[in-house]
Amino acid sequence: MKRELGNIVDNVDGLSEWLSSVPYKLRRQGQLYRAEELYQGYEPSDDEAEDKASFATCYDSRVYQHFVEQGKEARDIRESVARTIHDHGIQTALKAFLAEHNPLKCVGIMGGHSLLRTDPMFSFVTMLSKQLTEEGFFMVSGGGPGAMEATHLGAWMAGRTDEEAQEAIRMLAEAAVSFKDQKWLSSALEVMRRFPQNRYISLGIPTWLYGHEPSTPFATHIAKLFTNSIREDIILTVAYGGIIYTPGSAGTLQEVFQNAVQDHYLSFGFASPMVFLGKKYWTEEVPVYPLMQFLMETGKYENLLLTLSDDLEEIEQVLKNFQKTIPCE
């Protein structure tokens, strides 16, 4: 491997210099990102101009700016090599992480980035994630705002009272309703200071392809990647314990069918629960659930473990029951 990398470096003019100049760390040394690293250099300010200027200097923003300048599909082979090395390092670190934390206990929550902090669904997802984390699961999401933030907020607040979790939600909503608002990030950091914890984990897997959406700092481990297609496949793959789908748009729908293919073919030896949260949404507004049922009944899909529910306790029980049947290595 070292010899092959050496040959690449020797045969691409200026590659060595390029690799040493990119604003992101290539060799992860088995480490996933933490919020402290992604947002290193950011100093929140009540002055909007100062806050934006500070955010623009942090590690995450500098990497995203470089990503955009070099092209989301890199125009320079040297940049392509650099991104590949970085993403390989993240995937290696993720493999080490999963070796330490039982992936069979990993549950994913998928849903829209635009979910507002004031939406009742944001509170529901937070409390659901909190309870599942307390029951021994660990949560994974795309690591961004909306339903993804609620997922990691719930995991962060695990072990505390429901009243404290609701206080955290109020703090966030009062400061910034949407990730487009100035204090979205600073309010999250404030909640983390108000309710510190180092007992529970959660995994966020965001991407610089959607770098305009900030990564939630509530995720204790962050596998941020350049290549979104790899990132999406990883999210669906590592959630061996099941996936919960909250209302979302095109990205969430894509994940539903991508996950269904994995389960249909038993790509990893078994199928995991597919739980649809929001009965009206998934049966009337976007009638994916009856479609999935029809495809199962007609044999177009097999092996799917489908649940439609708006009840926290029922969802938890479905995931717990699955743990009793899941193959153990």
Side-chain angles (χ1 to χ4, degrees):
M1 178 66 183
K2 290 183 179 179
R3 180 179 298 177
E4 292 175 357
L5 182 57
N7 289 337
I8 293 174
V9 172
D10 291 340
N11 289 297
V12 178
D13 291 340
L15 179 57
S16 180
E17 293 80 2
W18 189 280
L19 296 181
S20 64
S21 69
V22 295
Y24 46 92
K25 186 176 179 181
L26 293 178
R27 304 186 187 281
R28 298 302 308 169
Q29 298 178 328
Q31 297 297 314
L32 295 173
Y33 284 109
R34 301 280 183 145
E36 295 84 355
E37 182 178 3
L38 280 182
Y39 293 119
Q40 183 179 13
Y42 171 59
E43 295 293 337
S45 173
D46 289 333
D47 182 275
E48 185 172 358
E50 290 182 4
D51 190 81
K52 287 183 177 179
S54 178
F55 180 76
T57 66
C58 75
Y59 175 92
D60 191 57
S61 296
R62 288 185 285 110
V63 174
Y64 179 57
Q65 183 62 35
H66 176 83
F67 177 69
V68 173
E69 290 173 352
Q70 296 303 317
K72 294 185 176 181
E73 292 292 334
R75 295 180 291 271
D76 193 308
I77 188 174
R78 297 170 299 180
E79 178 63 18
S80 292
V81 172
R83 293 179 187 179
T84 299
I85 294 173
H86 171 276
D87 282 8
H88 179 269
I90 291 294
Q91 291 178 75
T92 300
L94 182 57
K95 183 177 181 181
F97 170 84
L98 293 173
E100 296 177 356
H101 303 94
N102 184 2
L104 300 180
K105 290 287 188 178
C106 184
V107 172
I109 295 185
M110 307 300 168
H113 65 270
S114 60
L115 181 68
L116 300 179
R117 288 169 165 177
T118 51
D119 193 303
M121 183 60 73
F122 186 94
S123 178
F124 188 94
V125 172
T126 297
M127 303 311 291
L128 173 61
S129 179
K130 176 180 182 293
Q131 186 159 323
L132 291 176
T133 301
E134 291 169 345
E135 291 294 329
F137 295 98
F138 75 91
M139 312 306 294
V140 64
S141 86
M148 295 173 281
E149 180 189 34
T151 299
H152 298 286
L153 171 62
W156 184 269
M157 297 301 295
R160 295 187 178 274
T161 65
D162 289 353
E163 289 74 20
E164 287 176 308
Q166 290 298 328
E167 180 185 347
I169 294 171
R170 285 194 298 273
M171 287 177 63
L172 294 174
E174 289 172 1
V177 173
S178 164
F179 74 92
K180 298 177 182 179
D181 297 331
Q182 176 199 345
K183 294 187 177 182
W184 183 87
L185 176 58
S186 61
S187 60
L189 297 175
E190 179 60 31
V191 166
M192 293 170 70
R193 286 190 290 269
R194 170 73 176 82
F195 300 106
Q197 72 93 17
N198 57 14
R199 177 181 176 185
Y200 296 98
I201 62 165
S202 67
L203 174 64
I205 310 181
T207 173
W208 276 290
L209 181 66
Y210 302 137
H212 60 287
E213 299 175 8
S215 303
T216 174
F218 290 115
T220 60
H221 296 76
I222 303 172
K224 193 156 190 175
L225 296 160
F226 288 107
T227 308
N228 185 52
S229 57
I230 294 176
R231 168 247 190 180
E232 289 185 341
D233 184 71
I234 289 175
I235 296 171
L236 298 173
T237 297
V238 302
Y240 290 106
I243 295 181
I244 301 165
Y245 294 96
T246 71
S249 56
T252 305
L253 294 178
Q254 174 184 318
E255 290 159 351
V256 168
F257 289 98
Q258 190 172 344
N259 182 210
V261 171
Q262 289 184 351
D263 286 346
H264 170 78
Y265 288 110
L266 302 178
S267 300
F268 305 100
F270 57 91
S272 301
M274 296 178 67
V275 180
F276 293 81
L277 172 60
K279 287 185 177 180
K280 182 178 180 181
Y281 183 83
W282 292 115
T283 60
E284 297 179 22
E285 296 179 39
V286 182
V288 167
Y289 192 80
L291 172 61
M292 302 303 286
Q293 288 182 307
F294 172 77
L295 293 172
M296 279 282 288
E297 293 168 359
T298 57
K300 300 296 189 301
Y301 274 123
E302 297 178 354
N303 305 315
L304 304 188
L305 305 177
L306 303 174
T307 298
L308 177 67
S309 178
D310 288 326
D311 184 83
L312 189 154
E313 300 299 334
E314 181 182 6
I315 293 171
E316 179 185 343
Q317 196 58 52
V318 166
L319 298 174
K320 282 184 174 180
N321 289 343
F322 175 67
Q323 288 291 313
K324 300 174 183 178
T325 64
I326 195 169
C328 296
E329 295 183 358

